[in-house]
Amino acid sequence: MVVTFLLTALFYAVTLHLAATFFIGDVPSQRAAYVGPVPAAVSILLGRYGVESVGFVSPGLGIVVVLLATLVADAIAISVSYRITWKPAAVLTALHLAFAAVLGFALNNIFGFF
């Protein structure tokens, strides 16, 4: 579980740094390293314990809840770490989601995780 958390936090930090560099410009990578563990912890904990503990939530709806909670936690952490207002933080969060999805899809095709 610890290795999964560390790899997920690293993945989120790298994709956030790429998105922030694209959106903001030259930014220090430490800010992305501060944010990376937040969506990693939320997605892992809710993915593991959040859906199974609530009996009336279907697995499809549980995935949506986990995704929304992860995006909200990511937006809050981005806003605090990069010291930006909510509107640019929402755009950067959407870019982070896009970069993570594209890189995750590419890595999945290369290594065949699923």
Side-chain angles (χ1 to χ4, degrees):
M1 186 112 173
V2 173
V3 173
T4 301
F5 171 74
L6 292 175
L7 287 175
T8 306
L10 177 67
F11 176 77
Y12 281 137
V14 168
T15 55
L16 176 61
H17 182 65
L18 292 173
T21 302
F22 177 76
F23 182 65
I24 298 172
D26 190 26
V27 292
S29 60
Q30 289 86 1
R31 296 196 186 277
Y34 299 148
V35 175
V38 174
V42 171
S43 63
I44 289 173
L45 290 175
L46 284 180
R48 173 68 177 103
Y49 301 109
V51 178
E52 294 176 359
S53 64
V54 180
F56 62 88
V57 175
S58 68
L61 184 60
I63 292 171
V64 173
V65 169
V66 170
L67 180 64
L68 287 176
T70 303
L71 286 174
V72 168
D74 194 25
I76 292 170
I78 286 172
S79 177
V80 169
S81 179
Y82 286 94
R83 296 180 186 101
I84 55 178
T85 60
W86 292 108
K87 197 174 280 189
V91 174
L92 186 54
T93 302
L95 279 172
H96 184 210
L97 173 66
F99 274 72
V102 168
L103 187 60
F105 185 74
L107 289 175
N108 183 36
N109 283 335
I110 291 171
F111 296 114
F113 292 129
F114 298 109

